[in-house]
Amino acid sequence: MNIKIVPTTPFEGQRPGTSGLRKKVTVFEQPHYLENFVQSVFNSLEDFHGKTLVVGGDGRYFNRKAIQTIIKMAVANGFGELMIGKGGLLSTPATSCIIRKYQAFGGLILSASHNPGGPNADFGIKYNISNGGPAPEKVTEAIYANSQKIENYVIADTPDVDLDTIGEKILGETKIKIIDPVADYAEMMSKLFDFDLIKRLFQIGKFKMRYDAMNAVTGPYAKYILEGILKAPEGTVVNAVPKEDFGGLHPDPNLVYAHTLVEEMFSDNGPDFGAASDGDGDRNMILGHKFYVNPSDSLAVIVANFWNAPGYDRGLTGVARSMPTSQAVDRVARGMGMSCYETPTGWKFFGNLLDANKATICGEESFGTGSNHVREKDGLWAVLYWLNIIAATNMSVAEIVKAHWKKYGRNYYSRHDYEGVDSAIAHKIMDDMTARAESEIGKFYGDYEVETFDNFTYVDPVDKSVSKNQGVRVLFKDGSRIVFRLSGTGTQGATIRIYIEKYEPNVAKHDLDPQEALADLIEIAEEISGVKAKTGRKKPDVIT
Ligand code: G1P
Ligand code: ZN
């Protein structure tokens, strides 16, 4: 087979962000752009010759084309085997599952997660290491360094591979395997949860569920598991066929973008349980009838109910949450006498804790929950976990959450996002707060006294690596918090995220609208940061 060595020059900005390299499709479509990045990934790895690489994506526009390029480059670079999801599809958690199960060297995931897809929308690529998790910072920094000095890449001169037929073929010295994207993942789920119990829930016939796959990758997974194995009625899963542009949907499972589901769940005869996932299947939103479960609460409830799920009923070693995620899970961990780790935003920071068995379940406020079963967050996993809890307790979603608040108190929580902000202004807002951090300590905002004001630095408890500049934290004496950070996943301008949290132990005050309960802190957030004043915005673009 002819291997071409193609001369190239570096592109600026090929630095992986919170979750891989995300850019507009038009950026990826430039000649050599994808190739440079893929070669930079391979140049950052050692001893992969003859080993296995897993490749798949969320089916968005450019997915198939990118996979063909990756196949030819992986062959030219000497991988021994490629495992590729049929149709080029693999959800992010399924990729992680397959890397681990088949002890692959690593994987390339093609997705821009919850960002829209299509010729004018977003694309992304992420490298995962042999534990199945996102590459840690030392790897992503090496990739970036290589991308800035790349001079050529290698690619096999061979026709495109048929991605739609399960089977094997040999290209040069590389075995190309087209695999069923769902089977291994479904088998794993059946071991973690009590499928018989959940099946009974559907069999009785009273329980109604709606799962919105948002025309993204979880459609085939949810259809197979929920309707196929668990016998939920046909039609339980909607928008189940992955589309290149997600049918025009913005595949981000939150109250704004999954509004069709939300409207159905809040209608008088709405289903008992509703859920949605994002583009690549690692996020989840959980809803009850006329009830929204905040992701931070979902994490706390999942942890508190570990004994309901067969995969976890022997106990948890510990839990972890990203820094901006509410402290609801901390209370559960304290109650159960186990450690709760606080990490920077991004799933990659959970990898070491999971590998070292310091944490069993992890979560982020951004609709991400998961466990040590893989090394990614896992949307459908969270949905199945909730089904397991509902089936085991015979309670509704609202009853489960309210009982939880009664026991632990309620952490009112909300996130306000300002999208597409001028990048210089956004950075200045963060820099200004960081610069005056020390002088803020002890200051009063209304009745709230500032206890800690800093820019979060994380020291990994396992490998002692240090990650600085992870967001401005304002911690008040009463346990309330405001956190500010800039998104690391956007492709246009900057996104400022403000996270607001207040603890309410009094059960009589548990039924407020979070925006109302947090109103004074929301004002204080503006006083501290001046986001509205400095950006000229009147209100956030997205509130979750
Ligand atoms: C966002 C979320 C973060 C999540 C990431 C990838 O990152 O906030 O929790 O891990 O997407 O799904 P951000 O845009 O805030 O950097
Ligand atoms: Zn995602």
Side-chain angles (χ1 to χ4, degrees):
M1 176 173 307
N2 187 21
I3 306 286
K4 285 194 293 188
I5 302 176
V6 182
T8 186
T9 49
F11 286 93
E12 256 179 52
Q14 289 200 325
R15 174 178 255 142
T18 310
S19 189
L21 184 70
R22 297 242 177 113
K23 301 283 175 195
K24 291 276 167 220
V25 167
T26 46
V27 173
F28 272 102
E29 280 174 334
Q30 299 173 83
H32 311 306
Y33 191 90
L34 174 70
E35 291 84 344
N36 272 20
F37 187 77
V38 171
Q39 189 64 55
S40 302
V41 171
F42 294 160
N43 290 349
S44 312
L45 310 175
E46 277 165 22
D47 301 330
F48 60 77
H49 201 92
K51 301 208 172 126
T52 301
L53 182 73
V54 179
V55 184
D58 62 11
R60 68 179 60 223
Y61 184 83
F62 201 59
N63 189 47
R64 284 174 175 267
K65 210 164 166 215
I67 290 179
Q68 296 295 350
T69 302
I70 290 167
I71 293 173
K72 292 169 198 172
M73 291 186 66
V75 168
N77 277 275
F79 277 95
E81 181 178 273
L82 299 180
M83 294 178 81
I84 304 165
K86 183 179 171 220
L89 295 180
L90 273 181
S91 78
T92 292
T95 311
S96 189
C97 161
I98 289 165
I99 293 173
R100 292 171 68 76
K101 180 167 176 181
Y102 297 100
Q103 297 176 345
F105 186 84
L108 281 171
I109 299 177
L110 305 165
S111 168
S113 186
H114 49 287
N115 296 5
N120 296 311
D122 293 352
F123 191 73
I125 175 165
K126 182 169 92 166
Y127 180 70
N128 279 27
I129 58 174
S130 60
N131 75 351
E137 267 183 348
K138 63 173 190 298
V139 179
T140 55
E141 284 304 301
I143 295 170
Y144 176 62
N146 280 322
S147 78
Q148 296 306 293
K149 59 176 195 220
I150 190 164
E151 289 174 352
N152 53 53
Y153 60 83
V154 291
I155 186 160
D157 196 6
T158 162
D160 282 358
V161 169
D162 170 13
L163 299 177
D164 298 302
T165 313
I166 289 179
E168 294 181 15
K169 68 181 273 182
I170 304 283
L171 262 187
E173 287 174 16
T174 312
K175 188 191 279 178
I176 315 283
K177 276 189 182 168
I178 306 297
I179 59 166
D180 176 344
V182 177
D184 294 307
Y185 177 83
E187 193 211 345
M188 173 177 250
M189 290 303 116
S190 73
K191 290 187 183 138
L192 296 177
F193 302 111
D194 192 337
F195 272 22
D196 288 336
L197 195 68
I198 301 173
K199 223 196 247 172
R200 271 206 290 282
L201 187 68
F202 287 117
Q203 262 161 4
I204 295 167
K206 274 203 292 191
F207 179 78
K208 258 182 69 190
M209 171 177 182
R210 177 75 66 230
Y211 182 96
D212 190 343
M214 301 189 86
N215 301 319
V217 80
T218 53
Y221 295 84
K223 271 252 167 209
Y224 182 74
I225 296 174
L226 296 173
E227 296 182 10
I229 306 178
L230 297 170
K231 303 282 180 258
E234 214 173 296
T236 296
V237 182
V238 294
N239 297 322
V241 179
K243 300 204 173 112
E244 289 205 328
D245 64 350
F246 305 121
L249 293 183
H250 186 152
D252 197 357
N254 61 36
L255 294 173
V256 176
Y257 296 126
H259 58 90
T260 314
L261 172 70
V262 174
E263 278 148 29
E264 189 184 4
M265 294 305 298
F266 280 80
S267 67
D268 283 344
N269 293 313
D272 305 285
F273 181 54
S277 282
D278 71 333
D280 62 328
D282 57 358
R283 293 188 175 200
N284 73 90
M285 175 167 67
I286 301 293
L287 298 158
H289 184 225
K290 297 192 177 180
F291 195 86
Y292 162 69
V293 184
N294 184 286
S296 294
D297 282 337
S298 175
L299 171 65
V301 168
I302 281 175
V303 169
N305 286 280
F306 72 95
W307 47 273
N308 284 311
Y312 305 91
D313 59 6
R314 272 158 294 138
L316 313 176
T317 60
V319 293
R321 62 162 172 83
S322 67
M323 182 271 281
T325 302
S326 100
Q327 300 163 97
V329 71
D330 303 37
R331 296 185 178 275
V332 180
R334 216 171 297 143
M336 283 163 54
M338 63 185 178
S339 303
C340 177
Y341 296 89
E342 184 179 46
T343 61
T345 295
W347 207 262
K348 61 187 172 204
F349 293 102
F350 294 133
N352 278 347
L353 296 170
L354 293 167
D355 283 350
N357 222 2
K358 287 180 180 292
T360 309
I361 290 179
C362 309
E364 294 193 276
E365 52 66 42
S366 52
F367 301 85
T369 1
S371 85
N372 59 356
H373 69 292
V374 289
R375 292 296 180 273
E376 290 277 6
K377 58 189 178 239
D378 188 344
L380 203 44
W381 172 90
V383 174
L384 292 167
Y385 207 129
W386 267 93
L387 277 172
N388 202 140
I389 298 172
I390 293 166
T393 59
N394 234 331
M395 286 159 78
S396 73
V397 172
E399 285 166 351
I400 292 166
V401 176
K402 287 183 177 175
H404 184 93
W405 290 338
K406 194 169 168 201
K407 182 164 179 194
Y408 293 99
R410 176 169 184 187
N411 288 67
Y412 278 104
Y413 185 82
S414 183
R415 183 176 107 183
H416 290 196
D417 291 340
Y418 293 81
E419 296 176 347
V421 173
D422 179 273
S423 184
I425 294 178
H427 280 99
K428 187 156 187 324
I429 290 172
M430 296 302 294
D431 293 347
D432 285 352
M433 284 190 285
T434 307
R436 41 173 240 268
E438 248 170 66
S439 65
E440 288 279 333
I441 293 161
K443 214 164 148 180
F444 276 87
Y445 289 91
D447 291 336
Y448 298 94
E449 184 182 355
V450 177
E451 188 170 65
T452 307
F453 194 121
D454 65 5
N455 199 321
F456 181 54
T457 296
Y458 179 62
V459 182
D460 186 295
V462 180
D463 68 11
K464 308 291 174 216
S465 60
V466 178
S467 303
K468 290 191 177 153
N469 214 10
Q470 297 296 326
V472 170
R473 303 189 296 181
V474 185
L475 314 183
F476 298 103
K477 273 238 158 91
D478 72 339
S480 299
R481 302 191 310 168
I482 305 174
V483 173
F484 304 87
R485 56 179 285 284
L486 299 185
S487 158
T489 57
T491 53
Q492 228 167 17
T495 294
I496 303 174
R497 304 203 195 282
I498 307 180
Y499 311 79
I500 309 127
E501 176 182 359
K502 182 183 203 161
Y503 180 62
E504 179 53 74
N506 183 353
V507 72
K509 294 185 185 165
H510 282 175
D511 286 322
L512 294 179
D513 172 356
Q515 302 309 314
E516 208 179 298
L518 297 167
D520 52 352
L521 284 165
I522 291 169
E523 266 179 42
I524 291 170
E526 175 61 17
E527 200 181 330
I528 293 175
S529 65
V531 166
K532 287 190 186 123
K534 291 174 185 169
T535 60
R537 303 288 177 93
K538 290 203 171 59
K539 56 179 180 49
D541 297 284
V542 179
I543 295 181
T544 52

